Amino acid sequence: MHFPDVALASIGVTIPKAQWTSEQIEKDLLPLYSRLKLPEGRLAMMSGIDSRRVWEPGTVPSGPSIESGRNALEAASVAPNQIGALIHASVCRDFLEPATASRVHHELGLSPDCWVYDVSNACLGVLNGAVQIASMIQSGMISAGIVVGTENSRPLMEATIASLNADDRLTRKTVKPAFASLTIGSGSCAWLLTQRDLSPNATILEHAIARAHTAHHNLCRSDQDTAGAGMQPLMETDSETLMAEGIATGVAALNELMQQSGWSRDQIDRSVCHQVGSRHRIGMLEAMQLPENSDSVTFPALGNTGSVALPLTVAAAAATGELSPGHRTAMLGIGSGINSVMIAAKWGETAIAGDWAGLLDELAPSRLAAATS
């Protein structure tokens, strides 16, 4: 897919203020840790995640999504009536129905002549939504659109901690599938895309590819999303196999992106991968033959924020100066399923705005170096 006429005009960000450190979570898991004699510091050591943010109790995804969407609109100086599509694309939603996008559309005051719907694809939802909107713009259907998502880790984290402490049948081996649930964080991000003529100096989304490796669809599952189901927010993950097969999928996808874009690996100035943890990052970059020093991360401070992890990290890289105009940027998305969406773009003057809640200070180079080493 080639999008020479589509610009990433702005990114809106909303970060929760409350932090849960890995040390605090281990204290909450004291009954489990004591019974299994697990060493303290295990969670941060295995994941490279020192903390993650959580929304206040009772927060629904549409609330922060409205704020992120409003931040993106204001930063781009785009009027609400110019938006032709609004896609809500996170794993988390307000309800099974109606679409969470409906409330976001209403509160942002967007035009009634607007495509409004939800997209869900694990950690790739926002990237999928961005490509859909880019396709609409490139085809001439619309002149501008917003894809937004908000992930809320609190219910999953609380349910996982309670379940692990209560289950006295667990062993060191059987507790492993629940580990990934303890790395999840919260955040919100909106990408506003326009016709190139509306944002001539912004980032142009030049190329995008998709890669499916769905033989491994069963490696990461949460509970059923069905009317009448218990909807207990628990998740089981075969982390080792998922990492290995995800990396293999990512390498194949990157090869395709390089072929379609005409780039070579040594021409990539900045890479941004899905934010899982330190082991995944090192394995991924080694397999892709990409250097660590030009790869941006947020997982040490945010954890794995699902569909908004890569979009938020792109915004943070731009806000901290790691990502500058002219940089050839590879956005390397991978999600359970297993699917991959990757985008190649030459970075431009994309506006970044929102409430970072102190996160940018945590992403200072010296602190990140310590966290990812």
Side-chain angles (χ1 to χ4, degrees):
M1 292 168 281
H2 184 43
F3 301 116
D5 300 322
V6 180
L8 176 57
S10 66
I11 302 178
V13 171
T14 310
I15 302 296
K17 294 179 173 58
Q19 288 181 297
W20 283 5
T21 65
S22 291
E23 181 181 4
Q24 175 187 341
I25 291 170
E26 288 186 329
K27 289 180 180 178
D28 292 339
L29 285 168
L30 183 59
L32 174 77
Y33 268 58
S34 297
R35 187 172 64 79
L36 297 183
K37 296 181 172 58
L38 297 174
E40 294 182 7
R42 175 189 181 96
L43 183 54
M45 178 186 68
M46 291 181 64
S47 67
I49 295 169
D50 294 323
S51 66
R52 69 283 290 142
R53 300 296 182 96
V54 293
W55 302 109
E56 294 301 318
T59 299
V60 293
S62 60
S65 289
I66 292 164
E67 293 304 312
S68 295
R70 187 171 290 126
N71 291 334
L73 281 166
E74 292 176 355
S77 300
V78 173
N81 63 8
Q82 291 179 277
I83 301 299
L86 186 284
I87 301 176
H88 198 275
S90 49
V91 176
C92 296
R93 298 179 288 167
D94 289 6
F95 307 103
L96 288 176
E97 61 173 318
T100 303
S102 297
R103 182 184 177 219
V104 179
H105 173 271
H106 172 71
E107 294 294 338
L108 291 179
L110 305 185
S111 167
D113 299 321
C114 188
W115 293 83
V116 182
Y117 58 94
D118 289 355
V119 164
S120 180
N121 189 19
C123 297
L124 291 175
V126 172
L127 287 184
N128 280 128
V131 171
Q132 288 184 14
I133 289 173
S135 298
M136 292 182 188
I137 295 172
Q138 188 66 37
S139 70
M141 278 180 63
I142 62 175
S143 61
I146 297 175
V147 56
V148 62
T150 294
E151 302 295 10
N152 182 11
S153 62
R154 180 185 283 271
L156 173 63
M157 297 282 289
E158 290 178 338
T160 299
I161 291 169
S163 176
L164 294 178
N165 283 333
D167 191 348
D168 58 10
R169 299 167 299 174
L170 289 170
T171 66
R172 285 194 172 201
K173 181 178 181 179
T174 59
V175 77
K176 285 184 178 180
F179 174 78
S181 299
L182 301 175
T183 68
I184 304 300
S186 300
S188 180
C189 189
W191 280 14
L192 193 160
L193 296 98
T194 71
Q195 290 177 341
R196 186 172 189 166
D197 290 347
L198 294 178
S199 309
N201 297 319
T203 304
I204 305 303
L205 296 188
E206 297 180 4
H207 299 275
I209 64 98
R211 185 88 179 184
H213 198 182
T214 55
H216 301 287
H217 63 271
N218 60 341
L219 296 178
C220 181
R221 289 177 171 172
S222 63
D223 199 19
Q224 289 183 320
D225 189 12
T226 305
M231 296 297 290
Q232 181 74 0
L234 296 177
M235 184 173 72
E236 289 194 357
T237 305
D238 182 346
S239 298
E240 295 296 327
T241 308
L242 183 64
M243 182 172 73
E245 297 299 339
I247 288 174
T249 304
V251 170
L254 180 61
N255 289 339
E256 185 175 348
L257 184 69
M258 294 296 94
Q259 181 179 358
Q260 294 296 326
S261 65
W263 295 5
S264 61
R265 282 167 167 76
D266 60 7
Q267 289 179 308
I268 297 174
D269 298 304
R270 178 60 49 180
S271 64
V272 182
C273 301
H274 176 51
Q275 304 294 297
V276 179
S278 53
R279 288 185 60 214
H280 178 274
R281 177 189 184 232
I282 292 170
M284 177 66 73
L285 293 176
E286 287 181 351
M288 288 182 170
Q289 302 176 41
L290 296 175
E292 288 185 42
N293 61 5
S294 59
D295 181 68
S296 293
V297 298
T298 55
F299 66 80
L302 279 183
N304 178 353
T305 53
S307 69
V308 300
L310 188 152
L312 272 176
T313 306
V314 170
T320 58
E322 285 186 345
L323 189 51
S324 301
H327 278 176
R328 289 180 183 247
T329 307
M331 307 176 207
L332 311 176
I334 301 172
S336 58
I338 295 171
N339 293 293
S340 178
V341 174
M342 295 186 175
I343 297 173
K346 184 175 287 186
W347 197 256
E349 296 177 10
T350 295
I352 313 293
D355 183 359
W356 289 97
L359 175 66
L360 297 182
D361 292 335
E362 295 182 52
L363 299 179
S366 60
R367 299 185 67 173
L368 275 183
T372 56
S373 61

